[in-house]
Amino acid sequence: MSSTVLITTANDPPNGMMFLTTTDSATRRITAKAAVFFWAIQGVEKIVIADATGTTLLDENEMSMLNQMNIEVEQLHYFQDDETVKQKGKGYAEGMLMQFAMQNSEILKKETGFFKCTGKIYCRNFAQILHTIRTNHFKNIFWTNIDESGATRGWADTRFFYTSIDFFNEYLLPTYLSSDDNVAAIESLCFHLLSTRLPSIKTVRPLLVGFCGGTGELYMDSSFGELDTNFPSWLST
């Protein structure tokens, strides 16, 4: 498996999005670029950046620098339906964007699986996560969402995961496209999907760093102690 990461962005979101504090385009672009550059120095082989607001994140010089590091980069963008997105929320919006990326990315068309990461964050122990997946031949791995106190509320962490193309097309994408924040958060829908479709296990926790668009604040980046190596997850081989 190659280390291919799909990064989803909305660099210029519409006004009136539910549960979205960071709406300033400059802030969103800078934090997303910072995350991409951190991904690059961790040895990622391929990066697909997909934006839902018709914008391109990296300029030609930045693309050239990444190419000099032997990283294959692809930038895709389209204009989402703002009114529908505002009505249904971020889960539906990201589902439409991932569907667009799957249909149009030349990189993803050649892969059997990929990492998905929400823009503005990166995984600082990515090498460890990648080694775990390759060593154990995992086809899918998702993690539980746990708050700063170490408590879970029946949510999956949709910021970062590894999915096979088959699982994505058959189960994950339909869940995203059916989501509506007025009814249930995408994290809750994915929790129920994963609990019924994949075995649960304890594994290493991804250490995610960056900015939260919902709150406009840095994500918590502290240790959970023993949970860091025995974190509740779902996976399949």
Side-chain angles (χ1 to χ4, degrees), residues 136-151:
N136 296 282
H137 307 289
F138 293 156
K139 292 182 179 178
N140 301 281
I141 183 166
F142 299 81
W143 291 269
T144 303
N145 185 308
I146 291 182
D147 65 23
E148 295 183 15
S149 69

Side-chain angles (χ1 to χ4, degrees), residues 10-13 21-35 57 119-120 211-213 215-217:
N11 296 323
D12 191 17
T21 299
T22 306
T23 57
D24 174 65
S25 179
T27 300
R28 296 182 69 87
R29 286 171 180 264
I30 288 173
T31 52
K33 283 191 179 191
L57 182 65
K120 304 185 295 303
F211 288 85
C212 174
T215 65
E217 299 176 352

Side-chain angles (χ1 to χ4, degrees), residues 101-218:
M102 286 298 302
Q103 293 173 344
N104 293 275
S105 169
E106 294 302 320
I107 290 177
L108 292 178
K109 288 176 182 177
K110 301 173 185 176
E111 301 298 326
T112 58
F114 63 94
F115 292 93
K116 174 267 176 181
C117 190
T118 303
K120 304 185 295 303
I121 66 174
Y122 67 96
C123 178
R124 65 180 176 88
N125 63 334
F126 179 70
Q128 183 182 15
I129 298 290
L130 182 62
H131 176 75
T132 299
I133 293 173
R134 284 176 168 170
T135 301
N136 296 282
H137 307 289
F138 293 156
K139 292 182 179 178
N140 301 281
I141 183 166
F142 299 81
W143 291 269
T144 303
N145 185 308
I146 291 182
D147 65 23
E148 295 183 15
S149 69
T152 180
R153 49 182 171 178
W155 280 17
D157 194 337
T158 60
R159 295 173 300 169
F160 175 74
F161 52 76
Y162 180 77
T163 179
S164 68
I165 297 294
D166 290 343
F167 187 83
F168 175 82
N169 287 329
E170 186 171 358
Y171 299 112
L172 195 61
L173 181 58
T175 299
Y176 269 84
L177 296 181
S178 67
S179 69
D180 185 336
D181 279 358
N182 297 290
V183 179
I186 185 60
E187 293 86 352
S188 176
L189 296 177
C190 284
F191 181 91
H192 292 292
L193 167 69
L194 298 169
S195 297
T196 57
R197 293 293 177 183
L198 297 179
S200 59
I201 196 171
K202 302 293 180 64
T203 188
V204 62
R205 177 173 76 97
L207 304 178
L208 302 180
V209 184
F211 288 85
C212 174
T215 65
E217 299 176 352
L218 279 168

Side-chain angles (χ1 to χ4, degrees), residues 48-69:
V48 179
I49 305 170
D51 182 78
T53 58
T55 62
T56 300
L57 182 65
L58 304 178
D59 62 29
E60 290 185 6
N61 290 332
E62 292 162 340
M63 289 282 287
S64 177
M65 285 191 293
L66 294 177
N67 290 334
Q68 289 174 37
M69 297 171 66

